[in-house]
Amino acid sequence: MNTTLATAVVVGLPLMAAAVAFAHPRRGRMATLGTGLLLLPVLAVLVLETRRTCPWRLDLGGWAAPLGIGWQVDALALTLLVLTTMVALAAAIYRLAERRLVPDSRQRRYFWPLWLFLWGGLNALFLSADLFNLYVILEMVALAAVALIAAAGPALAAAWRYFLATLLGSTLYLLGVALLYGQYGALDIALLTGRAAEEPVTLAAAVMITLGLLLKGAIFPLHFWLPPAHGRAHAAVSAVLSAVVVTAAFYLLVRLWFGPFGGMLPGLPAQLLGLLGAAAVIWGGVLAMLQRHLKMVIAYSTVSQLGFGLLVFPLAAAGALPGQAHAGMLMLLLAHGLAKGSLFLAAGCLAWQWGSDHLRRIGPPMAGGSLLAWIAIALAAASLVGLPPSGGFVAKWWLLESALAARAWPWAAVIVLGTFITAGYLWRILRDPLRLGSDDAAAAPAQGPPLPIPLAMPRAALLLALAAIASGLFATALRSAFAAGGLAG
C-alpha cells in the first residue's frame, strides 16, 4: 500500500463506515470494529514510511498550495492518529459490551454514525495543513462531540454549554484566519511559516486563534465547560473526548506556534503560555482533589495534565534542549491519552457495578470485572503520576531534563509539584475503596452486592492502561521515531 492510498484510507474509511452505519443501523457495530481493525495496519504502513522518508506532504488532487489543500504527515500527526485509533477502538468495544446491560434502541441508530463521524474528523484534522480546512474539520468534530455528549440524558445541559463554548472558540479562530488570509493571501501552514512576519496584524491573528483554541481545548482558564461535559457523558464518550478531542486543540497550538507564529514565540508569548500551563497543573489538580465523584476527579485531571503540555513552549523557546522538550510533549500526549481513556472506561465499569461513581460508594476490588477495572485504574494512575517505567514517567523526565538544561528552575518546580499533586488526587481514588475492605468499612453507606458486567468492558480499559505502561518501555524506539518524524530532533 502506498502512502497516498494509506492517508486516503485513514480519513475516508471512518466516514464511509459512518454512512453505512447510518443507512444500516444493524451494521453499525461491525462497521465500527472493522474500521478500527483495518486502520491499525494502515497506520503501521504510514509509521514505517515516515521513518524512512522523514516528514512528507501530500497535495490533494495534485494541486499545490495556495490553490490546493495539503496533508502533512510527521511524528506529531502520526502520534495522534495512532492514539485516536487505539482509544476509539477500545472505547467502541466497551460501548458494545455496555449495551448488553441496558439496550437503548432510541439512540442505537445515531450513536455509531456520530462515533465514526467524530473518528474520521479527528483523523482529517491531524493530517490537514490548511487553516480554513482545519476550521471546517473543527466544526465537524465539535458537532459530533456535542451530539455524543447529549446522548446521555443528564448531560444535555453540559452539551449545550460545550456547544456555546466551542461556537465562540470557532468564531475567534475564524476571525484570526481571516486576518492572516487578508494579510498574506495564503492559508497553508507551510506557506504562512515562510511569509508571516512579526507585525500587528499577525499578532492580532495569533491572539484570536490562540484564544479560540484555548477555549476549544478547555485549557485553563477557559476550562469551565469540560468537567460537566466529560463527567456526565457516557464513559466511552468521555474517554475519547478527554484523550483525543481536547488534545486536538492543543495540537493546533503546537502547529501554529512552532510554525507561522514561531518568530513571535520567544519572549512574552512563550512565558504566558507557560504560566497558563503552570496554573492549569496546580488549579486543575487542586480541584481534582476536592471532587467526590470518580469521573469528576478524572475530568479535572485532564485540565491539570494538559498544563504539562503547555510547558513545551517556554522550554523549547529557551533553546537548551528543544528536541528533548518536543519529545517529552509528544510522549506526554500519547501516555496521557492512553491513561485517561483507561481511567474513564474503568470508572464506567465501577459505576455500573456499584450503581454510582461516588468515591465512598464504590466497593473494594473483587474477582472478575471489578478486579480488572481496579488493575486498569492502578496502571493508568501510575502512568499519569509518572512512575517508571510508564510513558508518563518518560514524558515528564524528558520535560524535566529540558528544564534543567535551560536552568529554567520555575518550570522544573512546576513539573515536580504537579507530579506530587497528581499523586495526591489519584491516591484519593484508591484510598476509599481500600478503606471499604478494612475495619472501618461500616463508615461507608450501605449498599448491595456489585452487579456483574461483561468482561469486555474492563478488558478494554486494561488494554489502554497496559499500552500507557508499554509506551515507556519502548521510549528509545519512540524517541527515534519522533526524531525521524521531523518534530523532535
Side-chain angles (χ1 to χ4, degrees):
M1 179 182 293
N2 60 42
T3 53
T4 301
L5 178 59
T7 51
V9 169
V10 166
V11 176
L13 182 59
L15 297 179
M16 289 189 293
V20 171
F22 181 78
H24 304 282
R26 294 180 181 273
R27 299 180 182 176
R29 295 175 297 176
M30 294 303 299
T32 304
L33 292 177
T35 296
L37 294 176
L38 287 173
L39 283 181
L40 288 175
V42 172
L43 289 173
V45 171
L46 287 178
V47 169
L48 294 174
E49 182 63 21
T50 302
R51 290 197 66 183
R52 187 177 66 86
T53 62
C54 294
W56 54 276
R57 179 187 173 91
L58 174 65
D59 293 317
L60 300 184
W63 292 87
L67 296 178
I69 295 176
W71 283 353
Q72 175 76 22
V73 182
D74 60 10
L76 180 57
L78 282 174
T79 298
L80 294 178
L81 286 172
V82 172
L83 174 64
T84 301
T85 297
M86 294 181 66
V87 174
L89 180 58
I93 294 172
Y94 172 95
R95 182 63 176 162
L96 287 170
E98 183 184 42
R99 288 196 167 200
R100 299 176 189 173
L101 301 175
V102 180
D104 191 357
S105 58
R106 182 176 63 87
Q107 298 173 1
R108 187 182 300 273
R109 181 177 181 87
Y110 304 106
F111 185 87
W112 294 119
L114 288 170
W115 186 268
L116 291 162
F117 192 67
L118 176 68
W119 195 342
L122 287 168
N123 286 352
L125 188 148
F126 296 137
L127 289 174
S128 181
D130 180 273
L131 289 181
F132 185 76
N133 192 41
L134 283 167
Y135 164 75
V136 175
I137 298 170
L138 280 170
E139 294 307 284
M140 290 171 52
V141 170
L143 290 174
V146 167
L148 287 170
I149 294 171
L156 188 58
W160 179 246
R161 187 182 297 110
Y162 174 35
F163 174 74
L164 294 178
T166 194
L167 184 62
L168 176 59
S170 298
T171 303
L172 291 170
Y173 175 89
L174 187 58
L175 288 173
V177 170
L179 283 178
L180 290 176
Y181 185 71
Q183 184 71 10
Y184 302 109
L187 293 172
D188 185 82
I189 293 178
L191 287 180
L192 286 172
T193 301
R195 297 181 184 180
E198 299 181 42
E199 52 189 5
V201 173
T202 307
L203 178 61
V207 169
M208 285 189 285
I209 290 175
T210 300
L211 285 175
L213 293 176
L214 290 175
L215 188 55
K216 280 182 167 291
I219 297 172
F220 181 89
L222 303 176
H223 62 283
F224 59 91
W225 62 263
L226 184 147
H230 291 197
R232 295 173 186 170
H234 291 299
V237 176
S238 298
V240 173
L241 293 178
S242 186
V244 187
V245 174
V246 296
T247 305
F250 177 81
Y251 160 85
L252 291 180
L253 285 175
V254 172
R255 279 279 187 234
L256 293 172
W257 279 105
F258 289 110
F261 306 149
M264 300 183 293
L265 181 61
L268 184 59
Q271 300 306 310
L272 286 177
L273 289 170
L275 287 174
L276 289 181
V281 168
I282 297 171
W283 183 248
V286 169
L287 289 181
M289 286 187 181
L290 299 177
Q291 302 307 307
R292 299 181 178 181
H293 290 266
L294 178 54
K295 287 189 69 178
M296 291 300 289
V297 173
I298 303 170
Y300 276 105
S301 170
T302 300
V303 177
S304 179
Q305 296 299 310
L306 286 178
F308 284 104
L310 285 176
L311 298 182
V312 71
F313 296 106
L315 293 179
L321 287 175
Q324 195 83 335
H326 284 140
M329 178 267 297
L330 281 166
M331 180 63 80
L332 180 73
L333 294 181
L334 179 62
H336 168 262
L338 294 170
K340 196 54 62 68
S342 174
L343 284 174
F344 269 116
L345 296 185
C349 294
L350 297 176
W352 272 111
Q353 288 191 306
W354 297 99
S356 172
D357 72 333
H358 195 288
L359 293 176
R360 295 289 290 170
R361 296 179 183 175
I362 299 175
M366 303 175 68
S370 176
L371 180 60
L372 291 179
W374 279 114
I375 292 174
I377 287 177
L379 292 175
S383 183
L384 279 186
V385 171
L387 298 180
S390 66
F393 166 76
V394 175
K396 292 181 180 179
W397 181 255
W398 285 347
L399 288 173
L400 187 60
E401 278 189 331
S402 179
L404 295 177
R407 299 183 180 273
W409 311 122
W411 307 128
V414 169
I415 295 172
V416 175
L417 177 60
T419 299
F420 281 107
I421 294 175
T422 303
Y425 63 72
L426 290 174
W427 169 246
R428 287 192 66 239
I429 294 177
L430 299 169
R431 181 192 61 192
D432 287 331
L434 293 176
R435 182 181 296 169
L436 289 175
S438 64
D439 294 337
D440 58 355
Q447 54 190 352
L451 299 176
I453 60 171
L455 286 179
M457 293 168 62
R459 284 173 179 170
L462 184 59
L463 178 64
L464 292 179
L466 290 172
I469 299 296
S471 63
L473 297 175
F474 296 97
T476 302
L478 289 173
R479 175 64 189 272
S480 175
F482 293 159
L487 189 63

